[in-house]
C-alpha cells in the first residue's frame, strides 16, 4: 500500500472513531469514551508519521530532480506535444507547479529537468 492510500484509510478510521466517540459521549459510556480517546490519539500519531514519510519522500525526489544539470521552462508548443518531447530528450523529468513535487520545489511554471541541454 502506498503512502497516499494508507493516509486515506487512516483518516477514514479516525473519522469513524470520532463519530463513535461522539455517540458514546451522548450515551455517557465512560469506558467506551476512554477507549476511543486512546484510539484517536494513536491514530493521529500514525497519521503524523505517514505525513512525515510523505514529506521526506518528496524532499528526496525534489533533490534528485534539482540535481539534474539542465533545467528550463517548457513552451506551450512543447507542453502540447509532450510525448514527442520526452522521446527526443533522454532522462527528461517534467514538473508541473500544481503537483506535490512542484509545490515542494516552489516552481511557478511547467519546467523540464534533464541531464543534458534540450
Amino acid at each position: 500500500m502506498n503512502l497516499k492510500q494508507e493516509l486515506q484509510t487512516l483518516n477514514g478510521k479516525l473519522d469513524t472513531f470520532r463519530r463513535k466517540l461522539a455517540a458514546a459521549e451522548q450515551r455517557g459510556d465512560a469506558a467506551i469514551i476512554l477507549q476511543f480517546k486512546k484510539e484517536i490519539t494513536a491514530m493521529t500519531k500514525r497519521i503524523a508519521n505517514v505525513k512525515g514519510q510523505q514529506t521526506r519522500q518528496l524532499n528526496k525526489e525534489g533533490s534528485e530532480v534539482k540535481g539534474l544539470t539542465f533545467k528550463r521552462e517548457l513552451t506551450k508548443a512543447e507542453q502540447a506535444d509532450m510525448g514527442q518531447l520526452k522521446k527526443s530528450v533522454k532522462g527528461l523529468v517534467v514538473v508541473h507547479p500544481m503537483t506535490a513535487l512542484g509545490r515542494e520545489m516552489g516552481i511557478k511554471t511547467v519546467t523540464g529537468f534533464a541531464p543534458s541541454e534540450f
Side-chain angles (χ1 to χ4, degrees), residues 21-89:
L21 174 66
E25 286 175 342
Q26 208 171 33
R27 288 191 314 263
D29 193 351
I32 303 276
I33 291 172
L34 184 63
Q35 175 191 353
F36 281 123
K37 284 186 178 181
K38 286 180 183 177
E39 292 284 342
I40 288 172
T41 56
M43 199 60 59
T44 53
K45 285 180 185 177
R46 180 71 182 127
I47 288 171
N49 185 14
V50 171
K51 285 183 180 180
Q53 285 178 334
Q54 273 186 326
T55 303
R56 284 190 301 276
Q57 194 175 36
L58 273 177
N59 286 339
K60 180 181 175 188
E61 190 175 345
S63 65
E64 288 175 1
V65 170
K66 283 182 180 178
L68 295 173
T69 56
F70 186 75
K71 75 171 186 174
R72 73 171 171 87
E73 295 179 8
L74 300 180
T75 63
K76 293 291 182 184
E78 289 172 330
Q79 290 177 38
D81 197 11
M82 191 69 70
Q84 182 63 33
L85 179 65
K86 285 191 174 185
K87 285 180 185 175
S88 64
V89 180

Side-chain angles (χ1 to χ4, degrees), residues 98-115:
M98 296 304 289
T99 61
L101 181 60
R103 288 190 305 269
E104 177 71 30
M105 294 174 69
I107 292 176
K108 301 294 180 204
T109 59
V110 178
T111 307
F113 294 86

